[in-house]
Amino acid sequence: MVSTDRQTLEELLAPFGQEHLLRFWERLTATEQERLATQIQAIDWKQVSGWIHDALGETGTTAIPFERLSPAPYVSLKPKTDDEATRLREAVEAGERLLRNGKVACFTVAGGQGTRLGFNAPKGTYCFSPLRNKSLFQYFAEAILRNQEKYETILPWYIMTSPANHDDTIRFFEQHLFFGLDEKNVRFFIQGTLPGFSQDGKALLETPGCLALFANGHGGTFAAVRDSGTLDDLDARGIEYLSYWQVDNPMVTVCDPLFIGLHHLTGSEMSSRCLVKRDAMEKLGHFTLLDGRLMIVEYSDMPKNLLEKRDADGQLTFRPGSPAIHILSRDFIRRLTAGTFALKPHRANKKIQFVDEAGNLVTPESPNGVKLEFFIFDALPLARNPLILEADRNEEFAAIKNATGNDSPESCRAALLERTAHWLEMAGVTVPRDSQGTPAAKFEISLRRAVDAADVEKLVKAGEIPSSFEAGECFCLD
Ligand code: UTP
C-alpha cells in the first residue's frame, strides 16, 4: 500500500540524505504525488545508498590486487589430444539431444539504450543487414526458425526489455508478425531500474514529480527473470538451459550444441564463450583468476602493463575476452535469486538530464551523474563449475556498438560477408576476391535457410545456390 503522506516519505528518505526528492511536493497534482510516492517506496534506500556510497568511494582499479591475477583457463576449439576431441564430440551429441528434447530456450538482453550507436529506438529494431537491410531482431528470429526446423523442436525466445523500450519492442514484433515465429513462444519481460545520482550521491529528479530512473544493467537479468514470472514459465515448459546473447551481435550462434552440451556435461551453472583478443587494446572484459576464483576484469580497469603482457610464445597473456555469450541454468537463476542475494552494481558516469533546485530542466553537455548497473558476468564466479569455451570470432562475433569504425554496422556487415563467403567456399563455390582478399561479390543468405556451413552445402547441392559468382554480383536467398 503506497503512502502519499509527505511526512512518512520524508522519514523514509531523510536517513539517506534523499529528502530533497520531495522539494516540489506541494506543487504536484494528486496523481503526480501518487506516482512519485510509488517510485520512492519501490526503492530499498538502505541498499541503494550503500551501493552509491561504495560506487562514489571507489578509486577504480585500486580495488583489484593485480599482482595476484592470472588468466582464466578455457576450453579450446582445437583439441590437442584424442580425449579432448572425444569430449567435444560427445558434447555436440549431448547438446543436440537437449535441443531436440526441448530443454533449451533462447534469451536476449535488449534493455540497453544504445547511446553509442546513436539510434533512438530499441537497438533490436536497428536495420543493418548487407542487402536486405534486415533488423537485428529479424536476424535472430530467422536463426531460431531454422534451428527449430533442424532439431524438430520449439525454441522459446525470452527477450528482456527496459521500461524505456518495452512497448516499442513489442510493437515492432507485432508489426512484423513475429517474423514467422509463433507469438506464444516469444516472451518479453521488463528489467528493473535504479535511480540516477549526482556526483555527490543525491538521487536526481527527471521532472518535479518523477525520479530519473534507468535500466539496471544486463545483470538485472536475474532479478527480472524471477520477478516477471519467467522462472515459472521455464518450469512449465521444462526448459533447463538458456542460451544468452546480447541484442547487438547478429553473428551469434543462437543455440550452439557444442556449448550447450559442454555446459551440461560439466555440470556448470553458468558458462561463457571467450574470444582470443585481437590485440592488447581490444575492449573486452578479461576472464581472469584471482586466487583460483574466476573474475571478470573490465577492459578499463586493467592496467596497461597487464593488457600488453605476453607469454614466451608471443601470445597475449590475458587473452581470453568476453563477447557476452553465455549459457545459464534455470536452477542457477533460481538459486541465485532465492534469498536476499544481489550482485553489486558498477558505476557508470553519464550525462543525466535533471531538474535543478529551481525546477529548471538541465541538459548537461558532459557526464554530470552516476548510473548504477549490474553486470551479468559478475554472476560467473558465483556459479558451480563455471565453464569457458573459446569462440571463433569469424563465425560468432561482430557486435554493433558504435556508429562508425570498430564494432559498427559497417564492420559487422564486412564480417557477415566474409562468413558467408567462407561457408560458400567450404561448399566448393567459387567466390571472387579482390587483391586484399575481400569478397568481391555480395551475398545475403537468410539464416532461415542456413545457419552454418553444412546448411549452405545442402543448398548448393540442391542447386539453390550457384557454384560460382562473378565480381560485382549480388546474391540473395530468402
Ligand atoms: P551495452 O553495454 O553495449 O549498452 O549493452 P547499451 O545500452 O546497449 O549501449 P550504450 O552503452 O548505451 O552505447 C550490452 C547488452 O546489454 C543489454 C543491451 O541491450 C545489449 O544487448 N542491456 C544493457 C540491457 O539489456 N539492459 C541494460 O540495462 C543495459
Side-chain angles (χ1 to χ4, degrees):
M1 180 70 186
V2 173
S3 167
T4 50
D5 173 46
R6 184 187 167 130
Q7 197 179 334
T8 308
L9 292 169
E10 214 163 295
E11 282 165 12
L12 176 69
L13 294 169
F16 309 105
Q18 304 293 351
E19 63 276 26
H20 62 277
L21 294 174
L22 301 171
R23 191 181 280 138
F24 305 107
W25 186 258
E26 312 308 339
R27 65 182 220 207
L28 301 180
T29 63
T31 314
E32 287 168 339
Q33 286 183 345
E34 191 172 338
R35 180 166 74 159
L36 183 58
T38 306
Q39 288 181 334
I40 288 173
Q41 284 165 94
I43 293 169
D44 179 343
W45 287 98
K46 186 160 184 264
Q47 188 174 53
V48 171
S49 290
W51 286 335
I52 189 68
H53 179 265
D54 287 355
L56 293 174
E58 261 171 28
T59 49
T61 59
T62 52
I64 303 168
F66 288 108
E67 65 291 349
R68 306 213 306 267
L69 222 54
S70 57
Y74 57 88
V75 178
S76 166
L77 288 175
K78 295 190 196 84
K80 290 190 193 68
T81 62
D82 287 349
D83 281 354
E84 282 177 12
T86 306
R87 184 178 176 218
L88 295 190
R89 218 175 24 251
E90 285 174 356
V92 171
E93 284 164 16
E96 288 177 346
R97 223 172 15 250
L98 289 160
L99 284 161
R100 279 207 187 85
N101 294 340
K103 300 292 175 199
V104 182
C106 295
F107 190 99
T108 308
V109 284
Q113 282 188 301
T115 34
R116 282 171 287 172
L117 182 61
F119 178 60
N120 200 18
K123 208 178 194 179
T125 68
Y126 184 75
C127 295
F128 73 100
S129 80
L131 296 172
R132 291 285 193 236
N133 202 29
K134 289 177 186 171
S135 65
L136 286 157
F137 281 137
Q138 179 167 358
Y139 240 63
F140 302 132
E142 290 183 352
I144 291 171
L145 282 165
R146 172 67 194 127
N147 279 294
Q148 292 194 147
E149 185 178 72
K150 201 170 191 162
Y151 298 109
E152 297 172 324
T153 193
I154 287 170
L155 283 163
W157 188 13
Y158 297 88
I159 300 174
M160 186 170 85
T161 62
S162 56
N165 70 17
H166 185 74
D167 293 346
D168 287 344
T169 301
I170 293 182
R171 202 168 306 121
F172 188 75
F173 273 81
E174 285 170 352
Q175 277 165 358
H176 293 89
L177 305 174
F178 287 74
F179 306 102
L181 289 163
D182 186 340
E183 190 177 333
K184 67 176 185 300
N185 296 326
V186 185
R187 309 264 311 189
F188 304 91
F189 64 98
I190 310 181
Q191 69 176 114
T193 55
L194 282 170
F197 292 87
S198 64
Q199 305 276 6
D200 56 359
K202 299 283 181 202
L204 295 170
L205 288 168
E206 185 179 87
T207 67
C210 184
L211 296 184
L213 292 172
F214 300 97
N216 60 2
H218 38 66
T221 292
F222 296 102
V225 164
R226 177 195 58 195
D227 299 342
S228 61
T230 302
L231 265 181
D232 300 334
D233 195 63
L234 294 172
D235 280 341
R237 292 172 188 261
I239 302 291
E240 289 176 20
Y241 301 124
L242 297 177
S243 176
Y244 168 110
W245 71 86
Q246 300 192 333
V247 76
D248 47 24
N249 177 22
M251 295 258 287
V252 74
T253 307
V254 298
C255 53
D256 180 356
L258 169 64
F259 191 28
I260 295 162
L262 266 185
H263 174 89
H264 175 76
L265 295 179
T266 314
S268 165
E269 286 186 315
M270 176 170 175
S271 298
S272 297
R273 301 306 293 263
C274 78
L275 289 176
V276 172
K277 281 183 61 177
R278 203 166 29 203
D279 54 63
M281 296 306 152
E282 190 178 13
K283 292 183 180 165
L284 295 175
H286 299 84
F287 290 106
T288 70
L289 290 181
L290 178 65
D291 302 333
R293 270 181 83 81
L294 256 182
M295 172 163 154
I296 286 87
V297 180
E298 281 181 81
Y299 166 83
S300 52
D301 285 346
M302 201 78 157
K304 193 161 178 278
N305 64 322
L306 290 193
L307 285 175
E308 291 177 345
K309 192 172 171 197
R310 291 190 182 266
D311 291 343
D313 62 3
Q315 292 196 85
L316 288 171
T317 302
F318 289 92
R319 58 182 174 278
S322 173
I325 302 169
H326 308 286
I327 304 287
L328 302 170
S329 289
R330 177 199 62 197
D331 293 346
F332 177 52
I333 303 179
R334 173 166 291 121
R335 181 169 80 74
L336 213 59
T337 56
T340 51
F341 157 84
L343 297 175
K344 197 170 166 246
H346 295 245
R347 167 189 184 155
N349 295 326
K350 299 273 179 171
K351 287 190 251 180
I352 301 181
Q353 257 197 358
F354 69 104
V355 283
D356 65 12
E357 286 170 31
N360 299 316
L361 184 67
V362 181
T363 307
E365 290 192 348
S366 56
N368 61 319
V370 176
K371 287 187 192 172
L372 295 173
E373 292 189 348
F374 299 109
F375 288 176
I376 185 97
F377 52 56
D378 284 339
L380 199 60
L382 306 173
R384 294 189 192 118
N385 305 325
L387 168 100
I388 302 174
L389 169 66
E390 184 182 4
D392 179 344
R393 178 189 297 275
N394 299 329
E395 287 281 315
E396 300 171 63
F397 185 70
I400 298 180
K401 296 278 182 196
N402 308 311
T404 55
N406 278 340
D407 298 334
S408 66
E410 199 185 335
S411 65
C412 179
R413 278 190 286 273
L416 279 168
L417 182 62
E418 182 53 52
R419 183 175 76 172
T420 310
H422 179 61
W423 288 353
L424 289 167
E425 285 167 341
M426 282 173 75
V429 174
T430 307
V431 174
R433 288 182 178 267
D434 65 17
S435 56
Q436 311 291 314
T438 308
K442 285 206 159 76
F443 319 97
E444 184 160 338
I445 299 171
S446 168
L447 292 174
R448 174 76 191 81
R449 309 297 305 279
V451 288
D452 53 26
D455 279 350
V456 167
E457 192 178 347
K458 277 187 213 137
L459 292 167
V460 172
K461 284 202 176 121
E464 292 203 59
I465 297 176
S467 58
S468 76
F469 290 95
E470 301 289 323
E473 215 175 312
C474 287
F475 175 78
C476 288
L477 185 65
D478 296 319

